[in-house]
């Protein structure tokens, strides 16, 4: 877009009561101090945005004389199309016109905003404007149209493994997303690694506190246990046999003693029985027994005696039989066998315990191995993320360096710094302009002008906008001035009224 000033009309504008300026290709304003040269250069800016040349709110309302209305109208040529913009102060109010049609402030602002960006226009129009901006805005203006170096270009400057890795990964994610993903992963994996490490250490400690590997071979252990089991069952059956024998002895002793008791009791009973031998009187009724009755009583008595004797003989015979069986038996002492049985059982338990211990140890060794593997794989993933984060950092640094080279390539005397490298290697945005090693604030008036002109030259080179350039105080400046399109200069001349010399367009 090319913007030119065609004509400016001022009414009660600072010292100008009524003035018409025709600009042409070059307009040279001259005259004594205070004649109104800067006011003329400022008027188009005031029309557009209501500010001075530096974008500060400003009023041209006269303070030295009475005036009803302050008014400035600017006829612009925007890409060959004329547009007339007018701003006025009527009493306390701002009034606006677009192409002579009164409009509300908002509509006027919208019209201007639709034409071009204020910062861009002012930094082209006023070579000193750029330096009044905040450094972030300055940076943005310079970088706005600098195409960042292509990914493939940056990769060429990175170590091959980093470039290859980023090239592959940035096909799926943007560089920024990739960084977010891996920063997040790194944080998570760092925590996981600590957990994995402590798990592995805990298991290893458990292993060291365990008895050193018990020498148990599962194959021989089985055979040993089988052998012990045979011994145990042999001993158990011999103990069982001995028990049977000993129980028999006990039984016989018991029987003998009870049979002896019985025999002794029977002896006494026999004496009593003999007393009851039948006489002439009935033992129950006391009547005299005679004849058959007596005979029957004697028969009953004899039968009883006979049965008693038979029982007595049986008791004696039973006892004798028991005594003779007992004589053939010997008590077997099993205490030695029981002790032996306990020893074998203990030996078997020891083998089983050792085998179980060995199994536990093997399990623990496997767990340690698993924990070690988990730790190693976590570490590997973590290193991968660190590698990617570092690669991105390198990429950014290289990209910034290439971009800085690109930007620097646009300037002649000015040196531009776009980044600060922090201690951790990361880059921080900055924007510093120096001329001949001096900061802008240190420059003389004319040097500052030169710096500003070089800057607008660069901005013109990049910008899709072409505006007039207003070089105020040109008498103070001895450097070169490149003319891009339309130029307005102002210079003080002693004792001279306002003079506007104009160079027409060539065609
Ligand atoms: N808002 C205002 N109202 C009235 N007068 C103003 C206002 N602003 C500036 N002036 C005056 O207008 C006159 C012209 O100022 P201007 O800055 O345009 O002069 P100049 O020709 O650029 O002078 P110099 O050569 O010193 O740069 C000065 O006398 C100034 O004090
Ligand atoms: Mg001036």
């Amino acid at each position: 877009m090319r913007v030119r000033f065609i004509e400016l009309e001022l009414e009660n504008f600072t010292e100008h009561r009524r003035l018409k300026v025709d600009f042409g290709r070059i307009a040279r304003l001259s005259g004594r101090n205070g004649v109104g040269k800067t006011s003329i250069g400022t008027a188009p800016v005031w029309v557009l945005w209501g500010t001075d040349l530096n974008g500060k709110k400003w009023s041209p309302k006269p303070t030295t004389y009475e005036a009803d209305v302050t008014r400035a109208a600017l006829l612009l040529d925007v890409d060959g199309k004329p547009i007339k913009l007018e701003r006025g102060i009527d009493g306390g109010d701002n009034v606006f016109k677009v192409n002579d049609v009164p409009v509300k402030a908002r509509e006027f602002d919208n019209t201007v905003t639709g034409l071009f960006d204020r910062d861009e226009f002012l930094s082209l129009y006023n070579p000193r404007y750029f330096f009044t901006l905040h450094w972030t805005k300055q940076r943005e203006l310079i970088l706005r149209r600098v195409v960042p170096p292509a990914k493939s270009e940056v990769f060429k400057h990175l170590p091959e493994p980093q470039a290859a890795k980023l090239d592959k990964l940035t096909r799926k994610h943007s560089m920024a997303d990739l960084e977010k993903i891996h920063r997040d992963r790194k944080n998570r994996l760092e925590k996981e690694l600590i957990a994995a490490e402590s798990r592995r250490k805990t298991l290893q400690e458990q292993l060291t506190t365990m008895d050193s590997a018990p020498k148990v071979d599962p194959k021989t252990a089985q055979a040993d246990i089988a052998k012990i089991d045979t011994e145990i069952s042999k001993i158990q059956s011999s103990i069982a046999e001995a028990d049977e024998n000993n129980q028999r002895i006990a039984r016989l002793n018991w029987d003998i003693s009870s049979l002896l008791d019985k025999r002794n009791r029977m002896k006494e009973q026999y004496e009593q029985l003999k007393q009851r031998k039948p006489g002439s009187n009935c033992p129950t009724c006391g009547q005299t027994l005679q004849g058959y009755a007596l005979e029957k009583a004697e028969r009953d008595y004899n039968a009883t005696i006979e049965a008693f004797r038979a029982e007595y003989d049986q008791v004696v015979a039973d006892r004798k039989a028991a005594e003779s069986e007992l004589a053939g038996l010997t008590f077997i002492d099993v205490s030695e066998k029981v002790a032996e049985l306990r020893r074998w059982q203990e030996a078997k338990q020891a083998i089983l315990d050792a085998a179980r211990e060995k199994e536990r140890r093997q399990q623990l060794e496997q767990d340690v191995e698993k924990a070690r593997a988990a730790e190693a794989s976590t570490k590997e993933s973590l290193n991968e993320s660190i590698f990617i984060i570092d690669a991105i950092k390198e990429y950014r640094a290289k990209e910034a360096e290439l971009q800085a080279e690109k930007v620097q390539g646009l300037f002649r005397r000015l040196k531009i710094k776009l980044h600060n490298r922090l201690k951790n290697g990361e880059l921080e945005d900055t924007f510093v302009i120096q001329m001949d090693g001096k900061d802008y604030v240190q420059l003389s008036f004319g040097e500052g002008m030169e710096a500003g002109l070089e800057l607008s030259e660069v901005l013109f080179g990049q910008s899709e906008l072409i505006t007039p350039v207003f070089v105020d105080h040109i008498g103070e400046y001895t450097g070169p001035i490149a003319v891009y399109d339309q130029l307005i200069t102002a210079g003080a001349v002693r004792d001279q009224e306002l003079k506007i010399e104009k160079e027409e367009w060539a065609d």
Side-chain angles (χ1 to χ4, degrees):
M1 178 185 279
R2 194 200 61 197
V3 181
R4 286 176 182 168
F5 298 162
I6 300 169
E7 195 182 74
L8 176 71
E9 275 176 49
L10 303 178
E11 198 182 327
N12 301 321
F13 191 100
T14 68
E15 290 295 283
H16 303 289
R17 285 177 182 267
R18 205 167 267 280
L19 179 76
K20 215 173 190 174
V21 183
D22 229 336
F23 287 95
R25 190 174 80 91
I26 301 175
R28 292 193 178 87
L29 317 176
S30 60
R32 60 177 169 75
N33 296 134
V35 83
K37 306 178 291 296
T38 302
S39 299
I40 293 170
T42 307
V45 176
W46 184 76
V47 170
L48 289 162
W49 297 289
T51 70
D52 68 8
L53 288 167
N54 291 328
K56 301 269 155 7
K57 219 171 154 46
W58 177 74
S59 167
K61 202 173 163 179
T63 50
T64 52
Y65 59 94
E66 281 299 317
D68 294 344
V69 193
T70 288
R71 199 176 69 85
L74 176 68
L75 181 60
L76 289 166
D77 173 317
V78 177
D79 281 339
K81 271 186 244 137
I83 178 167
K84 190 176 173 190
L85 299 170
E86 185 178 323
R87 182 187 291 260
I89 306 168
D90 192 347
D93 302 328
N94 276 279
V95 288
F96 304 92
K97 281 182 188 167
V98 174
N99 292 328
D100 297 317
V101 181
V103 294
K104 295 244 162 59
R106 178 189 288 266
E107 193 184 333
F108 185 84
D109 288 346
N110 287 343
T111 306
V112 174
T113 309
L115 290 174
F116 31 72
D117 177 68
R118 193 183 77 146
D119 283 328
E120 199 170 357
F121 182 96
L122 284 178
S123 31
L124 294 171
Y125 179 66
N126 171 17
R128 293 188 166 271
Y129 178 72
F130 185 85
F131 296 100
T132 68
L133 294 172
H134 190 262
W135 69 265
T136 51
K137 189 73 205 175
Q138 295 181 348
R139 194 174 192 278
E140 191 233 299
L141 274 173
I142 289 291
L143 293 180
R144 192 181 281 182
R145 290 199 171 79
V146 177
V147 182
K151 238 168 40 172
S152 56
E153 181 62 22
V154 183
F155 286 158
K156 273 188 219 154
H157 292 83
L158 286 187
E160 152 63 21
Q162 291 188 337
K165 175 68 81 183
L166 290 184
D167 187 25
K168 193 175 138 221
L169 293 176
T170 50
R171 277 156 212 243
K172 223 172 122 191
H173 294 290
S174 72
M175 197 71 76
D177 284 352
L178 197 63
E179 185 173 16
K180 276 186 212 148
I181 291 169
H182 285 280
R183 282 205 181 279
D184 184 61
R185 241 180 71 165
K186 179 175 167 262
N187 287 341
R188 183 167 52 75
L189 289 172
E190 273 169 351
K191 284 184 203 123
E192 271 182 35
L193 185 62
I194 291 168
E197 234 170 43
S198 90
R199 179 170 157 70
R200 191 252 305 150
K201 277 186 188 154
T202 309
L203 289 169
Q204 273 180 333
E205 268 161 34
Q206 280 177 21
L207 199 60
T208 51
T209 56
M210 226 176 187
D211 280 342
S212 57
K215 301 271 181 291
V216 173
D217 183 350
K219 279 174 211 148
T220 59
Q222 259 179 1
D224 288 348
I225 285 174
K227 235 190 277 168
I228 291 172
D229 280 345
T230 325
E231 288 302 325
I232 286 175
S233 67
K234 257 198 261 167
I235 295 168
Q236 276 173 338
S237 61
S238 83
I239 287 174
E241 256 170 53
D243 273 353
E244 211 179 310
N245 174 72
N246 294 348
Q247 271 167 27
R248 183 69 196 149
I249 290 171
R251 174 83 224 172
L252 289 170
N253 276 324
W254 169 264
D255 285 353
I256 289 165
S257 106
S258 34
L259 287 167
L260 269 173
D261 283 352
K262 193 167 182 187
R263 187 205 61 182
N264 294 340
R265 268 196 320 274
M266 283 183 94
K267 270 187 181 166
E268 284 165 28
Q269 282 168 358
Y270 187 64
E271 287 310 314
Q272 287 165 13
L273 207 58
K274 274 201 293 191
Q275 302 292 314
R276 291 217 300 268
K277 185 176 162 64
S280 43
N281 295 323
C282 170
T284 35
C285 63
Q287 280 179 8
T288 310
L289 294 169
Q290 284 172 346
Y292 176 75
L294 182 63
E295 216 173 285
K296 189 183 181 290
E298 274 168 356
R299 232 178 15 244
D300 286 352
Y301 175 77
N302 287 341
T304 304
I305 289 288
E306 211 168 299
F308 191 88
R309 276 204 177 131
E311 196 191 343
Y312 180 89
D313 288 348
Q314 189 56 53
V315 166
V316 171
D318 283 352
R319 198 196 78 227
K320 294 253 165 80
E323 276 170 350
S324 101
E325 192 186 339
L326 186 63
L329 293 175
T330 332
F331 180 80
I332 304 168
D333 182 5
V334 292
S335 60
E336 191 41 54
K337 292 246 181 256
V338 167
E340 201 186 341
L341 179 66
R342 196 171 305 125
R343 279 198 298 280
W344 282 117
Q345 278 168 338
E346 277 167 7
K348 180 180 172 180
Q349 195 54 48
I351 294 172
L352 289 174
D353 285 350
R356 198 164 307 127
E357 182 77 353
K358 185 170 178 126
E359 223 168 76
R360 262 187 57 208
R361 193 186 168 81
Q362 278 169 346
Q363 184 59 53
L364 200 54
E365 276 167 353
Q366 274 175 21
D367 289 351
V368 168
E369 219 27 71
K370 261 188 230 160
R372 207 193 297 278
E375 186 187 343
S377 104
T378 304
K379 199 166 201 165
E380 199 182 314
S381 304
L382 176 61
N383 285 342
E384 162 94 352
S385 282
I386 291 173
F387 177 81
I388 291 166
I389 291 166
D390 284 347
I392 292 172
K393 218 188 267 177
E394 279 304 307
Y395 178 92
R396 293 254 164 77
K398 199 29 96 176
E399 184 187 37
E401 198 181 298
L402 291 172
Q403 195 187 28
E405 272 170 26
K406 235 174 165 177
V407 168
Q408 189 55 59
L410 301 168
F411 291 89
R412 277 179 283 113
R413 275 179 80 180
L414 298 183
K415 290 271 172 296
I416 312 291
K417 193 174 172 198
L418 296 173
H419 300 102
N420 281 327
R421 201 181 248 274
L422 301 176
K423 277 195 194 121
N424 66 5
E426 277 174 30
L427 295 175
E428 176 189 68
D429 284 353
T430 186
F431 192 77
V432 180
I433 294 190
Q434 287 193 325
M435 189 163 85
D436 307 335
K438 288 168 282 190
D439 286 345
Y440 180 77
V441 288
Q442 297 175 308
L443 299 177
S444 75
F445 181 84
E447 285 174 326
M449 185 99 99
E450 179 150 9
L453 285 168
E454 189 176 329
L455 244 153
S456 25
E457 196 181 318
V458 169
L459 291 172
F460 267 108
Q462 299 178 298
S463 176
E464 278 149 24
L465 179 66
I466 299 170
T467 69
V469 176
F470 177 48
V471 182
D472 204 354
H473 304 288
I474 192 151
E476 300 289 313
Y477 176 63
T478 55
I481 297 175
V483 180
Y484 307 99
D485 193 54
Q486 189 176 38
L487 180 68
I488 302 156
T489 66
V493 175
R494 184 188 292 262
D495 296 334
Q496 189 197 288
E497 285 308 306
L498 178 66
K499 193 159 111 187
I500 303 174
E501 293 160 291
K502 165 171 102 152
E503 248 176 59
E504 287 300 344
W505 295 101
D507 52 350

